[in-house]
Amino acid sequence: SLILMVAVSSLMLTGCATDKAMVNNQGQVEQAKFGILQSVRPTMVNISNVSGVGLVSGAVVGGVLGNQIGGGNGKKWARVLGIIAGGVVGNNIESQNSQRSVPGYDLEFYTDEGQFIRIIQTDIGQGFRSGTRVRLVKQNGQTVVTY
């Protein structure tokens, strides 16, 4: 009975701890900050799904066109410049055509340490409200606010 009470007490205390690091499912430690939301504003967030197809396609077309110009060393330089220019143009075209706007939030909060942070992120269905406690997590190179 005493052992059960100690075990339950330690679990309750562990649940109240405000750890500053979390472990993801790959076993990597990620930084987390906790705080209170001060402001929640709906917004639209621009996202881009660039695959690299435009870059590769443009480089191929540019290389083929550059190969049609000149002869000898001039032909080699024209091909190289065609590959570079074609890749840049193809990547720009793909970037412009792959952007879209999705619903999101403009979130402002103060961390427990008093630091002011503003994050704009896509809506992941969490229904944020001012005055609620949240955590800021850095994972896989991105920073997100979550409950």
Side-chain angles (χ1 to χ4, degrees), residues 18-20 32-36 109-117 133 136:
T18 56
D19 293 332
K20 300 301 180 205
K33 293 185 179 199
F34 296 86
I36 304 293
F109 73 100
Y110 283 97
T111 66
D112 292 346
E113 295 82 22
Q115 179 184 13
F116 175 78
I117 296 178
R133 185 161 176 78
L136 178 75

Side-chain angles (χ1 to χ4, degrees), residues 13-143:
L13 288 174
T14 303
C16 295
T18 56
D19 293 332
K20 300 301 180 205
M22 297 172 29
V23 177
N24 68 18
N25 58 4
Q26 285 87 29
Q28 300 169 339
V29 175
E30 299 165 346
Q31 294 303 105
K33 293 185 179 199
F34 296 86
I36 304 293
L37 275 175
Q38 301 298 310
S39 172
V40 178
R41 289 184 298 274
T43 189
M44 295 301 286
V45 178
N46 292 324
I47 61 170
S48 177
N49 294 327
V50 177
S51 64
V53 171
L55 173 79
V56 173
S57 300
V60 168
V61 170
V64 169
L65 292 175
N67 197 44
Q68 306 299 316
I69 300 172
N73 282 339
K75 187 176 206 136
K76 290 177 186 174
W77 282 109
R79 189 176 344 155
V80 169
L81 291 175
I83 290 170
I84 293 169
V88 169
V89 170
N91 190 55
N92 286 340
I93 291 171
E94 182 184 15
S95 294
Q96 291 172 359
N97 292 326
S98 68
Q99 288 198 1
R100 60 188 173 103
S101 292
V102 296
Y105 290 105
D106 184 342
L107 304 168
E108 295 178 348
F109 73 100
Y110 283 97
T111 66
D112 292 346
E113 295 82 22
Q115 179 184 13
F116 175 78
I117 296 178
R118 179 178 179 218
I119 297 284
I120 297 174
Q121 70 182 42
T122 58
D123 182 359
I124 54 176
Q126 293 198 304
F128 292 112
R129 292 184 317 275
S130 294
T132 55
R133 185 161 176 78
V134 294
R135 67 180 174 206
L136 178 75
V137 181
K138 292 183 181 181
Q139 60 188 139
N140 302 329
Q142 288 189 326
T143 303

